[in-house]
Amino acid sequence: MVIKKICSTIAKPVPAPVNGVVASGGGGTYTIDAAGDDGWFRKIASVMMGSASSPTTYSTHQNAGTITAGAIYDSDEMEYTWYKAYFRFVNVEVAQGATIASAEFKPFVAGGTGSKTFTLAAHDSDDISAPSGASDGAHSNHTSATVSWANPSTSAGQVTSPDVKTIIQEIVNRSGWSSGSDLMIVMWLASISTGDDGYRTFSDYTASSGTKKAQLVITVGED
């Protein structure tokens, strides 16, 4: 008599969403909307010739109205106004030390000019609160990981950044990070030729009754 052994396959359970988010540590992809306190930092700096570099500190903080990243030149005053945009994402349910398989930053462009390469980073913090002053925009607050974004579209609509997983990974690897903490993405222009303009404007949280909030899409690898 031939006895056939029958093997059953048990499917691995799919992690249940928590507040619309795949539970941390179980893998999966989810989208987080920016909080209602997105905005920008600004500084005016004179330049006489050659190229100009982004300031490392800022003098003004604003969290209302159109958000700007880049540099705008005033030929009469021979000076640049520099802008660094920020977008905060709250209750990010990714476990401390989880593996980030991929991540995309997806703001809504309102306009802009110049074929420029912008820089993305995050505020290097365990649980970032809403910025309260210009000092929160200092470059010294950045993650060591940065990502270059070459010529994001100037046409109105949602745009998708290159993969920013290295930035998100640095944040969730912090010893003080825990699931449900908040993180903040920043975007700026590193340098520009004198007399040239290069900037992007983005819709803020309230645009079109909140339908144009920036988004962060994170894919967490399975343990």
Side-chain angles (χ1 to χ4, degrees):
M1 178 185 296
V2 178
I3 300 175
K4 294 182 179 180
K5 184 177 180 181
I6 302 174
C7 299
S8 61
T9 300
I10 300 175
K12 185 175 180 179
V14 176
V18 178
N19 297 327
V21 176
V22 174
S24 58
T29 298
Y30 58 94
T31 299
I32 310 164
D33 290 338
D37 47 36
D38 44 11
W40 45 259
F41 305 101
R42 182 183 70 183
K43 186 169 186 176
I44 298 173
S46 297
V47 58
M48 300 304 294
M49 62 182 64
S51 62
S53 298
S54 171
T56 58
T57 60
Y58 292 78
S59 55
T60 304
H61 162 247
Q62 179 68 51
N63 69 340
T66 301
I67 301 164
T68 304
I72 300 174
Y73 188 64
D74 182 335
S75 58
D76 292 332
E77 299 295 332
M78 298 186 70
E79 62 186 18
Y80 271 103
T81 302
W82 293 88
Y83 296 89
K84 179 192 288 186
Y86 68 85
F87 305 82
R88 199 167 71 97
F89 299 89
V90 302
N91 193 28
V92 179
E93 297 189 23
V94 174
Q96 193 280 331
T99 299
I100 307 302
S102 66
E104 294 175 334
F105 171 54
K106 303 179 72 171
F108 278 82
V109 168
T113 189
S115 177
K116 306 299 178 187
T117 297
F118 292 79
T119 304
L120 297 170
H123 195 288
D124 197 18
S125 173
D126 296 337
D127 186 17
I128 183 66
S129 57
S132 59
S135 61
D136 292 320
H139 281 19
S140 58
N141 295 324
H142 294 167
T143 51
S144 58
T146 61
V147 170
S148 295
W149 190 354
N151 194 30
S153 175
T154 59
S155 299
Q158 190 174 33
V159 293
T160 301
S161 75
D163 196 339
V164 295
K165 68 179 181 180
T166 55
I167 296 172
I168 306 304
Q169 189 71 68
E170 183 172 340
I171 296 298
V172 303
N173 280 353
R174 291 178 59 92
S175 59
W177 172 270
S178 61
S179 178
S181 293
D182 307 338
L183 64 81
M184 188 169 80
I185 298 293
V186 292
M187 178 177 176
W188 75 99
L189 186 66
S191 63
I192 197 167
S193 298
T194 302
D196 197 8
D197 284 329
Y199 64 89
R200 298 293 183 272
T201 56
F202 301 97
S203 300
D204 73 354
Y205 183 93
T206 62
S208 299
S209 300
T211 62
K212 294 185 178 180
K213 293 172 282 191
Q215 296 177 321
L216 185 62
V217 181
I218 299 176
T219 299
V220 180
E222 293 186 358
D223 291 342

